Amino acid sequence: MTKTYLIGYDLNKSGQDYSTLIEKIKELGDWWHCLDSAFIIKSTSTSISIRDYLTNFIDVNDELLVVGLNGEAAWHGFNSECSNWLKNNL
């Protein structure tokens, strides 16, 4: 069963490269990335398995949050592409 998750992250060491983490998040399934340090993904994995997988691509001092979404949402200020993805996938 496909679920929807919010992934938030902060890479706390100065000068860190987000590209590998972002690439690995995008490989998890359909994704939305209209905020700098946040993704919404659709995946058949659990939040724990997503967290455990992504911790391989961050440092021990970084922060990572994976939260299951229930479909209720409200937003403001996104372009039509970002808004349409949310309407169609939450």
Side-chain angles (χ1 to χ4, degrees):
M1 178 180 183
T2 302
K3 297 178 184 175
T4 306
Y5 297 97
L6 171 69
I7 299 173
Y9 51 87
D10 281 330
L11 304 185
N12 293 314
K13 186 177 174 184
S14 178
Q16 282 187 289
D17 182 9
Y18 285 84
S19 61
T20 300
L21 178 62
I22 290 170
E23 176 186 317
K24 297 303 179 182
I25 292 171
K26 289 178 176 181
E27 290 174 0
L28 293 170
D30 292 335
W31 54 271
W32 177 95
H33 181 62
C34 296
L35 293 170
D36 287 341
S37 294
F39 273 83
I40 298 174
I41 64 160
K42 306 219 24 124
S43 176
T44 56
S45 297
T46 66
S47 59
I48 293 170
S49 64
I50 293 168
R51 179 211 52 204
D52 291 349
Y53 173 69
L54 293 176
T55 56
N56 293 303
F57 308 102
I58 61 175
D59 291 335
V60 294
N61 67 326
D62 295 332
E63 298 157 328
L64 177 68
L65 174 69
V66 180
V67 178
L69 300 177
N70 66 8
E72 181 181 348
W75 56 88
H76 171 78
F78 294 117
N79 64 33
S80 60
E81 181 181 0
C82 292
S83 290
N84 287 337
W85 193 98
L86 293 169
K87 288 176 190 175
N88 294 327
N89 291 282
L90 293 181

